[in-house]
Structures are given as C-alpha cells and as structure tokens.
Coordinates of all heavy atoms in Angstrom, one line a residue:
R765 N 0.8 -1.2 0.0 CA 0.0 0.0 -0.1 C 0.9 1.3 0.1 O 2.1 1.2 0.3 CB -0.9 -0.1 1.3 CG -1.7 -1.2 1.3 CD -2.7 -1.5 0.2 NE -3.5 -0.2 -0.1 CZ -3.9 0.2 -1.2 NH1 -3.5 -0.5 -2.4 NH2 -4.7 1.2 -1.3
P766 N 0.4 2.4 -0.4 CA 1.1 3.6 -0.3 C 1.8 4.0 1.0 O 2.8 4.6 1.0 CB 0.1 4.7 -0.7 CG -0.9 4.0 -1.5 CD -1.0 2.6 -1.0
S767 N 1.1 3.4 2.0 CA 1.6 3.7 3.4 C 3.0 2.9 3.6 O 3.6 3.2 4.6 CB 0.6 3.3 4.4 OG 0.4 2.0 4.3
G768 N 3.2 1.9 2.8 CA 4.3 1.1 3.0 C 4.1 -0.4 3.7 O 4.9 -1.2 3.6
I769 N 2.8 -0.4 4.1 CA 2.5 -1.8 4.7 C 2.2 -2.7 3.6 O 1.9 -2.3 2.4 CB 1.3 -1.7 5.7 CG1 0.0 -1.2 4.8 CG2 1.5 -0.9 6.9 CD1 -1.3 -1.4 5.6
Q770 N 2.3 -4.0 3.8 CA 2.0 -5.0 2.8 C 0.8 -5.8 3.3 O 0.8 -6.3 4.5 CB 3.2 -6.0 2.7 CG 3.2 -6.9 1.5 CD 4.2 -7.9 1.3 OE1 5.1 -8.0 2.3 NE2 4.4 -8.5 0.2
V771 N -0.2 -5.9 2.4 CA -1.5 -6.5 2.8 C -1.8 -7.7 1.9 O -1.5 -7.7 0.7 CB -2.6 -5.4 2.6 CG1 -4.0 -6.0 2.9 CG2 -2.3 -4.1 3.4
G772 N -2.4 -8.7 2.5 CA -2.8 -9.9 1.8 C -3.8 -10.7 2.5 O -4.4 -10.1 3.5
K773 N -4.0 -11.9 2.1 CA -5.1 -12.7 2.7 C -4.4 -14.1 3.0 O -3.7 -14.5 2.3 CB -6.3 -12.9 1.7 CG -7.1 -11.7 1.6 CD -8.4 -11.9 0.6 CE -9.3 -10.7 0.7 NZ -10.5 -11.0 -0.1
M774 N -4.9 -14.7 4.2 CA -4.5 -16.0 4.5 C -5.8 -16.9 4.7 O -6.7 -16.4 5.4 CB -3.8 -15.9 5.8 CG -3.4 -17.3 6.4 SD -2.5 -17.2 8.0 CE -0.8 -16.7 7.5
R775 N -5.7 -18.1 4.2 CA -6.9 -19.0 4.3 C -6.8 -19.7 5.6 O -5.8 -20.3 6.0 CB -6.8 -20.0 3.1 CG -8.1 -20.8 2.9 CD -8.2 -21.4 1.7 NE -8.4 -20.4 0.6 CZ -9.6 -19.8 0.4 NH1 -10.6 -20.1 1.1 NH2 -9.7 -18.9 -0.7
V776 N -7.9 -19.7 6.3 CA -8.0 -20.3 7.7 C -9.3 -21.2 7.8 O -10.1 -21.1 7.1 CB -8.1 -19.2 8.7 CG1 -6.7 -18.4 8.7 CG2 -9.3 -18.3 8.5
P777 N -9.3 -22.1 8.7 CA -10.4 -22.9 9.0 C -11.6 -22.1 9.5 O -11.4 -21.0 10.0 CB -10.0 -23.9 10.1 CG -8.4 -23.8 10.1 CD -8.1 -22.4 9.6
L778 N -12.8 -22.7 9.2 CA -14.0 -22.1 9.8 C -14.1 -22.2 11.3 O -14.6 -21.3 12.0 CB -15.2 -22.5 9.1 CG -15.4 -22.3 7.7 CD1 -16.6 -23.1 7.1 CD2 -15.4 -20.9 7.3
G779 N -13.6 -23.4 11.8 CA -13.6 -23.6 13.2 C -14.2 -24.9 13.6 O -13.7 -25.9 13.5
V780 N -15.5 -24.9 14.0 CA -16.3 -26.1 14.2 C -17.5 -26.1 13.3 O -18.3 -25.2 13.2 CB -16.9 -26.2 15.7 CG1 -17.7 -27.3 16.1 CG2 -15.7 -26.0 16.8
V781 N -17.5 -27.3 12.6 CA -18.5 -27.6 11.6 C -19.5 -28.7 12.2 O -19.1 -29.7 12.6 CB -17.9 -28.0 10.3 CG1 -19.1 -28.2 9.3 CG2 -17.0 -27.0 9.8
G782 N -20.9 -28.3 12.2 CA -21.8 -29.2 12.6 C -22.5 -29.8 11.3 O -22.9 -28.9 10.5
I783 N -22.5 -31.1 11.2 CA -23.1 -31.7 10.0 C -24.2 -32.6 10.3 O -24.1 -33.5 11.3 CB -22.0 -32.4 9.2 CG1 -20.9 -31.5 8.8 CG2 -22.7 -33.1 8.0 CD1 -19.7 -32.1 8.6
I784 N -25.4 -32.3 9.8 CA -26.7 -33.1 10.1 C -27.1 -33.8 8.8 O -27.3 -33.1 7.7 CB -27.8 -32.2 10.7 CG1 -27.3 -31.5 11.9 CG2 -29.0 -32.9 10.8 CD1 -28.0 -30.2 12.2
Y785 N -27.2 -35.1 8.8 CA -27.4 -35.8 7.6 C -28.3 -37.0 7.8 O -28.5 -37.5 8.9 CB -26.2 -36.3 6.9 CG -25.1 -37.0 7.8 CD1 -25.0 -38.3 7.8 CD2 -24.4 -36.3 8.7 CE1 -24.2 -39.0 8.5 CE2 -23.5 -36.9 9.5 CZ -23.3 -38.3 9.4 OH -22.5 -39.0 10.3
E786 N -28.9 -37.5 6.8 CA -29.9 -38.6 6.8 C -29.3 -39.8 6.0 O -28.7 -39.6 5.0 CB -31.2 -38.2 6.3 CG -32.0 -37.2 7.1 CD -33.2 -36.7 6.4 OE1 -33.3 -36.8 5.2 OE2 -34.1 -36.2 7.2
S787 N -29.6 -40.9 6.5 CA -29.4 -42.2 5.7 C -28.0 -42.6 5.3 O -27.5 -43.6 5.8 CB -30.2 -42.1 4.3 OG -31.5 -42.0 4.7
R788 N -27.3 -41.7 4.5 CA -26.0 -42.2 3.9 C -24.9 -42.2 4.9 O -24.3 -41.1 5.2 CB -25.7 -41.3 2.7 CG -26.7 -41.5 1.6 CD -26.3 -40.5 0.4 NE -24.9 -40.6 0.1 CZ -24.2 -39.5 -0.5 NH1 -24.9 -38.5 -0.8 NH2 -23.1 -39.7 -0.9
P789 N -24.5 -43.4 5.5 CA -23.4 -43.4 6.4 C -22.1 -43.1 6.0 O -21.2 -42.7 6.8 CB -23.5 -44.9 7.1 CG -24.2 -45.7 6.0 CD -25.2 -44.7 5.3
N790 N -21.9 -43.2 4.7 CA -20.5 -42.9 4.0 C -20.3 -41.4 4.2 O -19.2 -40.9 4.2 CB -20.4 -43.3 2.6 CG -21.5 -42.8 1.7 OD1 -22.7 -42.8 2.1 ND2 -21.2 -42.2 0.5
V791 N -21.3 -40.6 4.5 CA -21.1 -39.2 4.8 C -20.3 -39.0 6.0 O -19.6 -38.1 6.2 CB -22.5 -38.4 4.9 CG1 -22.3 -37.0 5.3 CG2 -23.2 -38.4 3.5
T792 N -20.4 -39.9 6.9 CA -19.6 -39.8 8.2 C -18.1 -39.7 8.0 O -17.4 -38.8 8.4 CB -19.9 -41.0 9.1 OG1 -21.4 -41.0 9.3 CG2 -19.2 -40.9 10.3
A793 N -17.7 -40.7 7.0 CA -16.3 -40.5 6.7 C -15.9 -39.3 5.8 O -14.9 -38.7 5.9 CB -15.8 -41.9 6.1
E794 N -16.7 -39.1 4.9 CA -16.5 -37.9 4.0 C -16.4 -36.6 4.7 O -15.5 -35.9 4.5 CB -17.6 -37.8 2.9 CG -17.6 -38.9 1.9 CD -18.8 -38.7 0.8 OE1 -19.4 -37.8 1.0 OE2 -18.9 -39.6 0.0
A795 N -17.4 -36.4 5.6 CA -17.4 -35.2 6.4 C -16.2 -35.1 7.3 O -15.5 -34.1 7.4 CB -18.6 -35.1 7.1
A796 N -15.9 -36.2 8.0 CA -14.7 -36.2 8.8 C -13.5 -35.9 8.1 O -12.6 -35.1 8.6 CB -14.7 -37.6 9.5
S797 N -13.2 -36.4 6.9 CA -12.0 -36.3 6.2 C -11.9 -34.8 5.8 O -10.7 -34.3 5.9 CB -11.9 -37.3 5.0 OG -12.9 -36.9 4.0
L798 N -12.9 -34.3 5.2 CA -12.8 -32.9 4.7 C -12.6 -31.8 5.9 O -11.9 -30.9 5.7 CB -14.1 -32.5 4.0 CG -14.0 -33.1 2.5 CD1 -15.4 -33.1 1.8 CD2 -13.0 -32.5 1.6
C799 N -13.3 -32.1 7.0 CA -13.1 -31.2 8.1 C -11.8 -31.3 8.6 O -11.2 -30.3 9.0 CB -14.3 -31.6 9.2 SG -15.9 -31.1 8.8
L800 N -11.3 -32.5 8.8 CA -10.0 -32.7 9.4 C -8.9 -32.1 8.5 O -8.0 -31.4 9.0 CB -9.8 -34.2 9.5 CG -8.4 -34.7 10.0 CD1 -8.1 -34.1 11.3 CD2 -8.3 -36.3 10.1
K801 N -9.0 -32.4 7.2 CA -8.0 -31.8 6.3 C -8.0 -30.2 6.3 O -6.9 -29.6 6.1 CB -8.1 -32.4 4.9 CG -7.0 -32.0 3.9 CD -5.7 -32.5 4.3 CE -4.5 -32.0 3.3 NZ -4.2 -33.0 2.3
S802 N -9.1 -29.7 6.4 CA -9.3 -28.2 6.4 C -9.0 -27.5 7.7 O -9.4 -26.4 7.8 CB -10.5 -27.8 5.7 OG -11.7 -28.4 6.4
G803 N -8.7 -28.4 8.7 CA -8.4 -27.9 10.0 C -9.6 -27.5 10.9 O -9.5 -26.8 11.9
N804 N -10.7 -28.1 10.6 CA -12.0 -27.9 11.4 C -12.3 -29.1 12.2 O -12.1 -30.2 11.8 CB -13.2 -27.7 10.4 CG -13.1 -26.3 9.7 OD1 -13.2 -25.3 10.1 ND2 -12.7 -26.6 8.3
A805 N -12.8 -28.7 13.4 CA -13.4 -29.8 14.2 C -14.8 -30.0 13.8 O -15.5 -29.1 13.2 CB -13.4 -29.4 15.7
A806 N -15.3 -31.2 13.9 CA -16.6 -31.6 13.4 C -17.5 -32.3 14.4 O -17.0 -33.1 15.2 CB -16.5 -32.5 12.3
I807 N -18.8 -31.9 14.4 CA -19.8 -32.7 15.3 C -20.7 -33.2 14.2 O -21.4 -32.5 13.6 CB -20.5 -31.8 16.2 CG1 -19.5 -31.1 17.2 CG2 -21.6 -32.4 17.0 CD1 -20.1 -30.1 18.2

C-alpha cells in the first residue's frame, strides 16, 4: 500500500462444523476427512 504496509489474505479454518445428515453413512467418513484436512473440528 502507499503507506508502506504489505496487505494480503490468509486461508484459515472455519472452526467447528456441525453436519446433520440422513441415511447415507458414508457421509460420516467424507465429512470427517474434509473437516480434518481443512483444520476444522466436526460434530
């Protein structure tokens, strides 16, 4: 910036993700894997 500071963006986890789903138990593993890799805790 003209002031001399350097500005940017950093990607961060959302935090805690709650997932509510019906029937498909494979969602349990899919959801766990994506939350874990993206640094989120999951309920």
Side-chain angles (χ1 to χ4, degrees):
R765 304 301 304 147
S767 63
I769 61 171
Q770 194 177 14
V771 178
K773 289 184 173 181
M774 176 183 283
R775 195 161 289 284
V776 294
L778 296 177
V780 177
V781 180
I783 301 160
I784 301 160
Y785 51 102
E786 297 174 335
S787 304
R788 292 175 54 202
N790 53 317
V791 173
T792 302
E794 289 179 2
S797 68
L798 285 168
C799 289
L800 178 56
K801 184 65 182 260
S802 57
N804 295 288
I807 301 175

